[in-house]
């Protein structure tokens, strides 16, 4: 019998991307094969995101298209994984009855067995539903705390990049941010042990990984549920000992947990990437307060100053929400002022999207969409200027670039990232340099990337 093929679509954050790799790893171990395209797959899985309405809309419309396909091909198995699976278990079954499998983000560790149940159910019912123009889904649902993804014995070879990998260090989030659906979809914080994380990272490095990015919704709160003084700083020190590892990053940090101990680790450990994703969300105390973020602008700045005093080369990245209920123009002025003060290297700006069941969903979503769009553009323009200034300051310097592959737009160039996570393109062809750390002299700055030329070692000396 030929092996069944699966195709996985991933939406959402890096944690979801990693979860998709873990699902793929589990399915391959169970004898499935990865299909080259959705069209040839027996099983189509959508690993979904619920953070904003827009993210959900993309999934609803893809599910609509899959329903069409299932009319022609009733054997097709459709599964919804991830945050929407947790959030919309019931709606999904009512609105999309052709869906066979619904598995939340804390319950996919035994995805292969769940899929087997779907196939058994389909076999049992084969022939019973000939009157239907499409097959009703098998109705296998697993939400809440099932078998966590972190118990999956990771097939380290299943990863998109040879030299880079994500490693989950904790799941869930205990923070009370009023706008956010993540604590509802991902549950309470659960940290993995240092030993497990070190062992997984070692296996990845033995398989050729040199850059690891640790993942957690509040990654710098890592360990607080474990007690015994387990912290992210201690984890970083343990991972730093791994020989093959050259770069170590971690996302996403919360301003309230940027401790002196963590700043020491950043200052002392040369392998740690020189950027920190530390979302401020807003530069207005009034907005931060109603968001229940737990800090003021002054407190955020104090943490940043402590960091700069020890690690002046570390750059900050942020997320911002515009159009939160009650946000005024002068609140947005505050955000612009904070952006300019810290001179963030990168920002993601999101229009506020009410999420059913959150505290903020009970407030009036009173900023019109056109105003949200205008504020979004305003912040993006500020960030573009800040990024351009920082990029320009790098022209003439030599940066160490981890080469990721050919440039998507120009096959005559290779693309990689600096220790600050900046994208650099430089002329070179072939795959020989992919996965290497190459010195590149920066010749010019574009809007979102740098252009450079490779420094040949003998010339550099
Ligand atoms: N744990 C991370 C990321 C959470 S989701 C953190 O705490 O920073 C990623 C980003 O989506 C958030 O930082 C926030 O800026 C944005 N976001 C979350 N909920 C949102 C909502 N309801 N509307 C718009 N943006 C939202
Ligand atoms: Fe959401 Fe706040 Fe948790 Fe981030 S810290 S995931 S924004 S609740
Ligand atoms: Fe989205 Fe869930 Fe990540 S809601 S942002 S996929 S944690």
């Amino acid at each position: 019998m030929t092996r069944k093929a699966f195709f996985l679509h991933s939406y959402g954050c890096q944690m979801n991307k990693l979860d998709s790799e873990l699902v793929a790893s589990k399915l391959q171990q169970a004898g499935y094969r990865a299909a080259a395209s959705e069209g040839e797959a027996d099983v189509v899985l959508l690993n979904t995101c619920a953070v904003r309405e827009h993210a959900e809309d993309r999934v609803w419309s893809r599910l609509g298209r899959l329903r069409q396909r299932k009319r022609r091909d009733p054997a097709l198995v459709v599964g919804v994984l991830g945050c929407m699976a947790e959030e919309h278990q019931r709606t999904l079954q009512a609105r999309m009855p052709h869906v066979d499998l619904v598995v939340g983000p804390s319950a996919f560790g035994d995805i292969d067995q769940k899929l087997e149940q779907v196939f058994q159910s389909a076999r049992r019912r084969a022939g019973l539903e000939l009157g239907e123009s499409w097959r009703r889904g098998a109705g296998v649902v697993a939400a809440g705390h099932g078998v966590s993804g972190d118990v999956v014995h990771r097939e380290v070879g299943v990863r998109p990049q040879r030299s880079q990998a994500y490693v989950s260090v904790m799941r869930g989030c205990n923070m009370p941010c009023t706008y956010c659906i993540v604590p509802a979809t991902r549950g309470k914080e659960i940290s993995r042990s240092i030993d497990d994380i070190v062992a997984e990272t070692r296996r990845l490095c033995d398989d050729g990984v040199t850059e690891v990015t640790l993942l957690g919704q509040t990654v710098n709160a890592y360990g607080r549920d474990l007690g015994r003084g387990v912290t992210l700083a201690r984890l970083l020190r343990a991972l730093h000992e791994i020989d093959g590892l050259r770069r170590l990053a971690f996302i996403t940090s919360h301003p309230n947990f940027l401790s002196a101990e963590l700043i020491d680790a950043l200052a002392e450990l040369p392998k740690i990437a020189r950027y920190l994703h530390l979302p401020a969300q807003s530069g207005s105390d009034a907005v931060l307060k109603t968001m229940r973020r737990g800090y003021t602008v002054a407190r955020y700045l104090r943490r940043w100053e402590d960091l700069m005093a020890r690690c002046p080369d570390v750059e900050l990245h942020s997320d911002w929400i515009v159009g939160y209920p009650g946000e005024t123009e002068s609140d947005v002025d505050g955000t612009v002022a904070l952006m300019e003060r810290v001179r963030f290297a990168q920002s993601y700006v999101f229009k506020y999207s009410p999420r059913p069941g959150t505290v903020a969903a009970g407030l009036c979503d009173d900023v019109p969409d056109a105003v949200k769009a205008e504020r979004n553009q305003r912040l993006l323009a500020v960030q573009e200027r800040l990024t351009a200034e920082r990029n320009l300051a790098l022209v003439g310097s030599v940066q160490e670039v981890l080469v990721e592959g050919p440039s998507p737009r120009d096959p005559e160039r290779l693309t990689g990232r600096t220790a600050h996570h900046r994208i650099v393109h430089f002329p070179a062809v072939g795959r020989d340099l992919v996965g290497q750390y190459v010195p590149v002299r920066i010749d010019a700055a574009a809007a979102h990337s740098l252009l450079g030329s490779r420094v040949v070692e003998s010339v550099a000396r």
Side-chain angles (χ1 to χ4, degrees):
M1 197 178 106
T2 55
R3 291 192 297 155
K4 290 212 167 5
F6 68 92
F7 193 83
L8 197 54
H9 291 281
S10 266
Y11 303 81
C13 61
Q14 285 90 348
M15 190 66 98
N16 249 23
K17 302 236 154 63
L18 171 62
D19 285 352
S20 292
E21 289 175 36
L22 297 178
V23 167
S25 154
K26 190 79 190 170
L27 291 181
Q28 289 186 15
Q29 284 168 17
Y32 293 83
R33 68 182 173 84
S37 68
E38 187 190 292
E40 65 166 66
D42 306 292
V43 178
V44 177
L45 301 171
L46 312 187
N47 193 11
T48 60
C49 172
V51 81
R52 282 170 291 275
E53 195 177 5
H54 176 68
E56 294 195 341
D57 286 345
R58 290 170 57 206
V59 171
W60 290 122
S61 67
R62 187 172 286 274
L63 284 173
R65 290 201 295 279
L66 285 166
R67 189 209 289 249
Q68 297 303 321
R69 184 172 151 203
K70 213 157 157 165
R71 278 186 211 281
R72 299 190 303 274
D73 177 9
L76 178 73
V77 169
V78 176
V80 178
L81 317 181
C83 290
M84 279 177 76
E86 189 67 33
E87 188 55 19
H88 297 300
Q89 294 156 43
R90 294 213 167 73
T91 339
L92 264 165
Q93 288 182 293
R95 209 170 138 183
M96 299 287 168
H98 61 296
V99 168
D100 294 283
L101 180 67
V102 177
V103 183
S106 309
F108 68 80
D110 55 357
I111 181 88
D112 52 328
Q113 290 168 33
K114 304 214 166 81
L115 213 42
E116 187 47 41
Q117 281 175 37
V118 170
F119 284 116
Q120 279 172 9
S121 149
R123 278 195 289 273
R124 269 202 310 277
R125 293 176 311 148
L128 295 179
E129 293 182 3
L130 292 175
E132 297 246 30
S133 58
W134 46 273
R135 185 174 61 78
R136 186 164 282 279
V140 175
V141 177
H145 291 284
V147 182
S148 156
D150 286 337
V151 306
V152 171
H153 183 79
R154 182 170 181 184
E155 185 64 64
V156 289
V158 180
R159 58 174 197 274
Q161 294 282 351
R162 298 326 299 157
S163 7
Q164 295 156 300
Y166 291 127
V167 172
S168 150
V169 304
M170 65 192 295
R171 289 185 177 268
C173 178
N174 288 3
M175 302 308 285
C177 309
T178 50
Y179 49 82
C180 185
I181 195 77
V182 172
T185 62
R186 296 223 165 222
K188 289 277 170 216
E189 284 174 22
I190 302 175
S191 300
R192 300 174 72 191
S193 74
I194 290 189
D195 285 351
D196 281 1
I197 299 166
V198 169
E200 185 175 310
T201 308
R202 256 187 220 291
R203 288 199 295 122
L204 285 161
C205 292
D206 288 345
D207 197 52
V209 167
T210 59
E211 183 188 76
V212 163
T213 303
L214 307 178
L215 300 183
Q217 295 298 341
T218 48
V219 70
N220 54 338
Y222 165 78
R224 63 178 174 156
D225 53 319
L226 298 177
R228 299 190 316 274
V230 177
T231 57
L232 179 65
R234 261 177 59 183
L235 174 64
L236 293 174
R237 286 183 194 276
L239 292 169
H240 208 261
E241 302 289 307
I242 297 176
D243 275 342
L245 187 68
R246 270 186 76 161
R247 271 188 200 166
L248 181 56
F250 51 91
I251 50 178
T252 299
S253 293
H254 189 289
N256 284 2
F257 305 103
L258 181 55
S259 64
E261 189 202 14
L262 181 57
I263 293 177
D264 284 345
L266 272 158
E268 288 164 24
L269 304 178
K271 293 179 182 178
I272 300 194
R274 306 324 282 164
Y275 72 95
L276 204 58
H277 191 66
L278 193 74
Q281 309 296 356
S282 168
S284 150
D285 283 346
V287 174
L288 289 171
K289 190 162 181 210
T290 61
M291 286 178 166
R292 298 194 195 152
R293 283 290 289 178
Y295 52 85
T296 57
V297 174
R299 185 153 167 221
Y300 186 96
L301 285 171
R302 270 201 304 281
R303 303 266 166 155
W304 169 69
E305 279 157 8
D306 291 345
L307 174 68
M308 287 301 105
R310 297 288 318 276
C311 314
D313 60 329
V314 169
E315 295 181 334
L316 290 200
H317 298 176
S318 185
D319 298 348
W320 308 94
I321 295 178
V322 290
Y324 186 79
E327 186 191 59
T328 63
E329 287 300 321
S330 86
D331 292 324
V332 184
D333 293 343
T335 298
V336 170
L338 178 58
M339 291 175 87
E340 288 180 336
R341 175 93 178 84
V342 173
R343 300 183 58 248
F344 289 90
Q346 194 178 309
S347 283
Y348 295 95
V349 186
F350 303 109
K351 291 188 285 180
Y352 170 67
S353 165
R355 303 287 65 214
T358 59
V359 172
L363 306 173
C364 174
D365 181 18
D366 57 358
V367 179
D369 202 54
V371 176
K372 286 180 186 169
E374 186 271 318
R375 291 177 185 174
N376 194 326
Q377 288 308 317
R378 183 173 166 206
L379 297 196
L380 286 177
V382 173
Q383 185 56 57
E384 221 154 80
R385 175 164 50 77
L386 296 174
T387 307
E389 284 168 14
R390 281 188 180 267
N391 281 352
L392 213 54
L394 290 174
V395 172
S397 71
V398 174
Q399 301 289 323
E400 186 188 66
V401 173
L402 168 55
V403 180
E404 293 180 355
S407 162
R409 293 220 198 114
D410 182 351
E412 310 272 287
R413 285 178 176 162
L414 290 176
T415 293
R417 284 191 191 258
T418 68
H420 285 99
H421 211 56
R422 283 223 170 63
I423 298 173
V424 178
H425 307 287
F426 62 98
V429 283
R431 299 206 61 89
D432 297 358
L433 291 176
V434 174
Q436 305 282 314
Y437 291 77
V438 174
V440 174
R441 187 181 313 284
I442 305 304
D443 302 321
H448 299 285
S449 60
L450 297 163
L451 305 176
S453 40
R454 188 176 166 206
V455 180
V456 180
E457 293 288 327
S458 56
V459 177
R461 290 211 181 94

